[in-house]
Amino acid sequence: MGNVTEFMLDELRLLRSAQKLSQDEFGRRINYSASHVSAVETGQRPPTADYLTAVDGAFGTGGVFCRMLTRLAKLDNAPVWLREWIECEQEATTLRWFELAYLPGLLQTERYARATLSGGRFTADEIERNVASRLARQAILDRDDPPQLVVVIDGGILTRPVLDAPGLMAEQFDLLIARAESEHVQVHVVPRDTGMYLGLAGQFIIAEFTDGRRVAHADNQLNAQITEAPVDIARLARTWEIVRNEALPRRQSIELIKEVAKTWN
């Protein structure tokens, strides 16, 4: 995936070139100086919302540059290592997600997300940036063409308390149930009495795209790995099938989640 900022600057330059305008002529069309246009195109000045609104208005681009800025803002809240994966999430048609320790980030409330990041691994500023990024990523589930999200979680996640946070789990279960009952979201639970199974090796996600391409994500305490290597994808796909077969069907999983939710209210 390319850098989103560079992509937007390339598109601005291509637009001006397609219109056969000098920087001075382009600037006059959007009421900015030629030096300002030059500074934006070379990355010396950020393309602000006002600047991009003027471009969209002057050239009838349908708001595309403002939308690019919104996406960029979401990415800028994310850690550098996560930005490539966020691009994958936004473009994927299907996400197959296994979680061992926490609920998936796309299904977390703000308080739950903050709790998963607390404990000393991150600074206070890093926690706030990561929480903002995680919540912004959830917008893909509410758009007109959301990806199909298929989640398998270890049953222990449902009963693990967040200490000194009254009401947090009840709030989280309300969101989890609402999401799980959406047409484009499936949540499956591996029962706690399953014993040892292949998923205990750790979390992973497989993203699929319209062209059939697949990208996988896995992380640990130190780093995250994103791979398109066919051998790695094939191994994770086999693991997914094995883990998925250990989980309850969708309807039974929702019933289990609702039963556990009663214990948190």
Side-chain angles (χ1 to χ4, degrees):
M1 300 292 174
N3 182 277
V4 180
T5 306
E6 283 300 323
F7 176 75
M8 179 161 61
L9 297 185
D10 285 344
E11 290 300 306
L12 286 168
R13 290 188 288 264
L14 286 170
L15 174 65
R16 181 173 62 80
S17 175
Q19 297 291 325
K20 295 182 170 56
L21 298 173
S22 67
Q23 290 179 337
D24 183 60
E25 292 167 332
F26 187 87
R28 285 202 298 271
R29 293 278 295 272
I30 62 172
N31 295 317
Y32 280 83
S33 67
S35 61
H36 192 119
V37 172
S38 175
V40 168
E41 290 187 354
T42 57
Q44 297 173 359
R45 295 187 67 161
T48 64
D50 288 343
Y51 184 93
L52 296 176
T53 297
V55 172
D56 282 330
F59 296 98
T61 52
V64 65
F65 287 104
C66 286
R67 289 196 296 275
M68 283 187 201
L69 183 64
T70 299
R71 170 178 275 193
L72 179 58
K74 291 177 182 178
L75 292 176
D76 281 345
N77 277 327
V80 172
W81 57 265
L82 188 55
R83 293 177 188 176
E84 181 180 354
W85 179 252
I86 292 175
E87 285 283 278
C88 290
E89 279 185 346
Q90 292 173 342
E91 297 173 13
T93 56
T94 303
L95 293 165
R96 292 183 170 84
W97 193 320
F98 171 71
E99 278 286 355
L100 178 65
Y102 306 111
L103 290 171
L106 294 183
L107 303 178
Q108 294 177 4
T109 64
E110 180 177 349
R111 291 178 70 199
Y112 187 96
R114 186 170 285 107
T116 68
L117 296 165
S118 300
R121 182 181 177 189
F122 299 103
T123 67
D125 286 345
E126 287 172 336
I127 289 173
E128 293 309 308
R129 286 198 300 272
N130 288 343
V131 169
S133 170
R134 191 170 297 180
L135 296 179
R137 288 163 56 197
Q138 296 176 6
I140 65 172
L141 297 180
D142 296 314
R143 69 191 189 196
D144 293 337
D145 59 337
Q148 186 71 24
L149 175 63
V150 185
V151 170
V152 175
I153 59 173
D154 185 86
I157 293 173
L158 300 178
T159 57
R160 185 173 296 114
V162 180
L163 301 178
D164 302 319
L168 184 153
M169 290 302 291
E171 176 187 88
Q172 175 59 69
F173 269 76
D174 286 345
L175 176 63
L176 177 61
I177 291 168
R179 288 296 195 192
E181 292 182 331
S182 302
E183 290 185 358
H184 57 283
V185 177
Q186 298 179 36
V187 177
H188 301 272
V189 180
V190 177
R192 294 192 65 187
D193 60 1
T194 298
M196 295 186 69
Y197 67 103
L198 195 56
L200 295 177
Q203 173 268 8
F204 64 91
I205 314 167
I206 302 172
E208 296 185 3
F209 305 89
T210 53
D211 60 3
R213 186 169 56 92
R214 295 190 294 181
V215 178
H217 171 283
D219 62 15
N220 55 44
Q221 291 282 352
L222 296 177
N223 54 45
Q225 180 182 4
I226 297 173
T227 180
E228 295 185 61
V231 172
D232 293 336
I233 297 292
R235 289 182 61 187
L236 284 177
R238 287 195 297 271
T239 299
W240 168 263
E241 292 301 325
I242 294 169
V243 171
R244 171 66 186 82
N245 286 334
E246 295 287 357
L248 297 172
R250 182 185 190 190
R251 183 50 53 190
Q252 291 181 31
S253 293
I254 292 176
E255 291 173 357
L256 174 61
I257 291 169
K258 288 181 177 179
E259 283 299 312
V260 177
K262 295 176 183 178
T263 68
W264 294 112
N265 289 323

